[in-house]
Each structure stands twice: as C-alpha cells, then as structure tokens.
Amino acid sequence: QVQLVESGGGLVQAEGSLRLSCAASGSIFSTGDMRWYRQAPGKLRELVAAITLGGTANYADSVKGRFTISRDNAKNTVYLQMNSLRSEDTAVYYCNAELMRYMGNYYSNYWGQGTQVTVSS
C-alpha cells in the first residue's frame, strides 16, 4: 500500500518556526513532483509550495521568503521549513505527491492525511 505520512505540525508562537516532513512509503519506484497545500477553517485548500524531482521550487506569494520546500529523493521525503510564522499560517497542511509504483508505468496522485499547524499571536 502506497501512502504519504506527514509529521511535524503543532502549536507555535508567532515569529516561530516549524519543520514539516512527509514520507512516501510502500512499493514506490519513483517520486515525481511533491507539494504542500494548506486549508484554513472556512477557506479553500491552497497550494503553498511545490518542488520538482530535479529540485525546482515554487511558492505562493504569501509564503515567499519565509518557507522553504526541499526533498530527499533517496528517502522519498519532502520537507517544509516554515520560519517567521504568522497567525494567518494557521491551517491543516497536506502533503501531495505524484508516485509511481513498482511494476507501474505511470504516476498517480496521492494525498497525506494532514497535519495541524497553529500559530498563536
């Protein structure tokens, strides 16, 4: 069974930092683009950051200069380093990735279960 498992969420004070991790597990042959989304109460899910297999990263304007996405291809893991956190960053953060299973010849899209990040002001 292929799955994404996030960790690292929690409660932090404004201007603090957190590091989220998302590990893909199961019979994975290859990991493609990986992304972090977030969803605040009453709001739509939004893309926060994305990174390609080659390491090219893109960010939402609201987090540029504060968040850094990175990946370890050997571990099929993506990270989100969040600095200078603000109350408006409070949300459930979801990992999303394109994964190819062994014996497969195409990528499928997977979601993690989400991890809560709460920033107190």
Side-chain angles (χ1 to χ4, degrees):
Q1 181 180 0
V2 172
Q3 59 179 349
L4 296 171
V5 179
E6 298 112 332
S7 60
L11 174 65
V12 64
Q13 291 188 335
E15 296 303 315
S17 298
L18 279 176
R19 189 192 194 207
L20 305 183
S21 298
C22 172
S25 63
S27 299
I28 299 168
F29 177 73
S30 176
T31 304
D33 293 354
M34 305 185 84
R35 312 170 189 90
W36 286 98
Y37 285 79
R38 67 185 180 188
Q39 187 167 20
K43 294 188 176 181
L44 296 175
R45 190 172 296 189
E46 64 173 349
L47 179 63
V48 176
I51 187 167
T52 66
L53 179 60
T56 299
N58 286 285
Y59 300 91
D61 288 342
S62 59
V63 306
K64 281 181 181 177
R66 300 188 298 121
F67 290 11
T68 302
I69 189 171
S70 61
R71 62 189 291 166
D72 184 333
N73 293 332
K75 296 181 179 179
N76 292 322
T77 299
V78 63
Y79 306 96
L80 187 67
Q81 177 67 43
M82 304 184 294
N83 299 328
S84 302
L85 283 161
R86 307 167 179 167
S87 58
E88 54 263 40
D89 295 318
T90 295
V92 178
Y93 283 71
Y94 296 90
C95 176
N96 174 265
E98 310 295 331
L99 305 175
M100 180 186 295
R101 298 187 178 194
Y102 278 105
M103 306 303 292
N105 60 358
Y106 57 90
Y107 287 93
S108 297
N109 189 263
Y110 292 84
W111 288 91
Q113 81 286 356
T115 185
Q116 177 70 47
V117 171
T118 303
V119 183
S120 63
S121 56

